[in-house]
Amino acid sequence: MLDKLKKHISQNFPFLAKTKLLLATSGGIDSMVMVHLFRELNFSVALAHCNFQLRGFESFGDQNFIQEYANANEIPLFLTQFDTEAFAKDYKLSTQIAARELRYNWFYELLETEQYDYILTAHHADDAIETFLINLSRGTGLEGLVGIPAQNDKVVRPLLPFSREEILAYAQENKIQWREDSSNASDKYLRNTIRHHLVPLLKELNPQFMESFQKTQSYLKESQELVEDAAIMVYQQVAKEEGETIVFDLNQLLRLPNYQSYLYQWLHEFGFTAWKDIYALVQSQSGKQVFSADFRLLKDRNQLILSPIVDETNDEQYFIEKNVREVNIPLNLTFCEADAILEASNSIIFVDEDKLVYPLVLKQWEEGDSFQPFGMNGKTKKLSKLFKDEKLSLLEKGNCWVLWSANQIVWVVGIRQDERFKINNSTKNILKIALQQ
């Protein structure tokens, strides 16, 4: 096993040479074998052990075992304890998910604060089978069937080619001590049920099951790479990135023979799970939305607009006093005196400063707001009608700010100036107001 691991590292993880490694060590057979192997290969290692306090005295027995092992072998050790059940309750997570969140957050913190390069975990081939079957039983996309990744950012899993039987044989041959987790004997968790009953049956039906499974996962990974390459090429034709916003052209999208698959590839990384709602959104009326925890997908005419969720309250007001020359929140606006109108546009206006009542107020538009658009000879128009005429998307309307003087609109910022503050023959003081993009 040692020679096989050495070759595996040389071929797939050569970057681990001469690095400082943190080994995630539970005290169980898998992690203790991993520690033994990497010490035999003369890597620079430290141990990282999490006490999740889920098994009472047994959890502290694991912690003491790791401490004694580290001390006896003069290996650096990092320990932490979590109130996992309280964390799971506070954040409405399952105990297993809560433990995973706590564990990996702490690992990454250690990498940064203690200046280690990678964290190694002892996931092996049987873990990959169990994960595959769990995901298969729950219904999953291709990424749920390709198994546990050998590397995910700074997390490396070097034992994935090895079976549980190989690890046990190595432990017995080298007289390695480990701790048994009593919860592994219970069928309370789906993984344990699969481990105790389904996997042994599959191996009994096909003695070469492990080899066949690894070949299948290799083929699935190759297929996933092809899918990802195709998704990238089509994305360039369908999507347009505008800052933090992505706009998908539905006319282009609907020409694809399997547009739902492309939407899944593009959107799953943003945390969306309501796929039926997303697929229905394509044919929905404008204004329909689907949300993930941090993003929203909005149908707007012939577009789907993906954007981060922001606080959309309309009650924020920003006051601008006389002689202020620049504001940076919520927009970048500059104010300066001018001798004449030179370059008026949607982003630059010139107003009669003597008509202004200070402080000016900058706030988001509200339903019912109206103004007198520049050039329309005093006719009043509601902002909602202006936005419709300008063909603004719902997202653009939601981000629209208005500059007020007393109870009159001076400027629908970046869109249209108000007629009442325009320059005329009697104007003595001209103020230039510019929106800096």
Side-chain angles (χ1 to χ4, degrees), residues 24-39:
T25 312
S26 66
I29 184 172
D30 307 330
S31 62
M32 296 309 297
V33 165
M34 179 176 68
V35 172
H36 188 277
L37 287 165
F38 275 82
R39 292 186 67 223

Side-chain angles (χ1 to χ4, degrees), residues 84-123:
T84 309
E85 291 182 342
F87 181 83
K89 182 178 179 181
D90 289 344
Y91 290 91
K92 297 180 175 57
L93 302 171
S94 71
T95 302
Q96 289 176 309
I97 295 298
R100 176 183 172 81
E101 289 287 319
L102 291 167
R103 176 168 66 248
Y104 281 99
N105 287 341
W106 182 60
F107 288 161
Y108 275 97
E109 181 181 333
L110 280 178
L111 290 180
E112 182 176 351
T113 58
E114 303 298 331
Q115 296 184 339
Y116 280 79
D117 299 300
Y118 296 94
I119 182 79
L120 272 55
T121 69
H123 293 91

Side-chain angles (χ1 to χ4, degrees), residues 204-264:
E204 180 181 341
L205 292 172
N206 178 10
Q208 304 301 317
F209 174 76
M210 179 66 72
E211 181 181 347
S212 298
F213 172 77
Q214 290 178 329
K215 285 182 179 179
T216 298
Q217 286 224 307
S218 176
Y219 300 148
L220 287 171
K221 288 176 183 177
E222 292 174 0
S223 299
Q224 185 186 38
E225 290 173 0
L226 291 174
V227 169
E228 290 173 349
D229 289 344
I232 291 172
M233 289 188 290
V234 176
Y235 176 88
Q236 295 170 349
Q237 302 170 16
V238 174
K240 180 180 179 182
E241 297 181 3
E242 301 174 356
E244 294 184 326
T245 299
I246 303 175
V247 179
F248 298 96
D249 185 332
L250 288 180
N251 291 327
Q252 293 287 341
L253 181 69
L254 291 174
R255 292 173 183 169
L256 301 173
N258 194 5
Y259 71 84
Q260 295 180 346
S261 296
Y262 286 104
L263 281 177
Y264 179 84

Side-chain angles (χ1 to χ4, degrees), residues 9 45 53 81 115 127 139 150 170 172 177 209 236 260 267 315 382:
I9 293 173
V45 302
Q53 302 189 73
Q81 297 177 6
Q115 296 184 339
D127 291 321
Y170 183 87
Q172 292 173 337
Q177 294 184 320
F209 174 76
Q236 295 170 349
Q260 295 180 346
L267 297 176
D315 55 356
K382 286 190 175 182

Side-chain angles (χ1 to χ4, degrees), residues 319-384:
F319 297 93
I320 303 170
E321 301 291 346
K322 188 177 178 65
N323 297 324
V324 167
R325 290 296 175 250
E326 184 175 0
V327 296
N328 297 310
I329 298 176
L331 305 172
N332 293 325
L333 296 178
T334 58
F335 302 79
C336 65
E337 296 175 357
D339 296 326
I341 300 176
L342 299 176
E343 47 181 341
S345 67
N346 288 343
S347 299
I348 301 174
I349 66 170
F350 294 84
V351 300
D352 187 331
E353 185 168 21
D354 294 328
K355 295 178 181 179
L356 299 176
V357 177
Y358 287 92
L360 303 179
V361 179
L362 186 63
K363 62 180 182 179
Q364 287 187 292
W365 81 286
E366 297 179 7
E367 198 67 44
D369 286 347
S370 61
F371 78 132
Q372 295 180 18
F374 186 87
M376 290 187 63
N377 299 319
K379 293 182 180 179
T380 299
K381 189 172 190 175
K382 286 190 175 182
L383 296 195
S384 57

Side-chain angles (χ1 to χ4, degrees), residues 65-211:
F65 171 77
I66 295 296
Q67 286 179 302
E68 292 173 1
Y69 179 89
N71 290 337
N73 292 279
E74 299 182 342
I75 306 173
L77 170 65
F78 300 96
L79 290 170
T80 191
Q81 297 177 6
F82 297 120
D83 189 342
T84 309
E85 291 182 342
F87 181 83
K89 182 178 179 181
D90 289 344
Y91 290 91
K92 297 180 175 57
L93 302 171
S94 71
T95 302
Q96 289 176 309
I97 295 298
R100 176 183 172 81
E101 289 287 319
L102 291 167
R103 176 168 66 248
Y104 281 99
N105 287 341
W106 182 60
F107 288 161
Y108 275 97
E109 181 181 333
L110 280 178
L111 290 180
E112 182 176 351
T113 58
E114 303 298 331
Q115 296 184 339
Y116 280 79
D117 299 300
Y118 296 94
I119 182 79
L120 272 55
T121 69
H123 293 91
H124 50 73
D126 285 78
D127 291 321
I129 293 174
E130 293 160 12
T131 299
F132 175 93
L133 293 171
I134 288 171
N135 290 336
L136 181 65
S137 70
R138 291 173 175 169
T140 182
L142 184 57
E143 76 282 353
L145 300 178
V146 296
I148 303 170
Q151 182 182 0
N152 187 3
D153 191 23
K154 295 292 185 179
V155 178
V156 178
R157 302 176 177 92
L159 299 191
L160 281 177
F162 301 94
S163 68
R164 181 173 281 115
E165 289 81 4
E166 287 178 283
I167 291 172
L168 176 60
Y170 183 87
Q172 292 173 337
E173 179 183 345
N174 291 276
K175 297 181 173 54
I176 296 171
Q177 294 184 320
W178 69 87
R179 294 271 297 179
E180 287 289 354
D181 183 341
S182 62
S183 67
N184 287 337
S186 169
D187 286 344
K188 175 182 177 181
Y189 300 111
L190 176 60
R191 182 176 291 274
N192 286 358
T193 301
I194 290 173
R195 179 181 302 165
H196 297 153
H197 304 288
L198 184 53
V199 173
L201 178 60
L202 291 170
K203 291 181 178 180
E204 180 181 341
L205 292 172
N206 178 10
Q208 304 301 317
F209 174 76
M210 179 66 72
E211 181 181 347

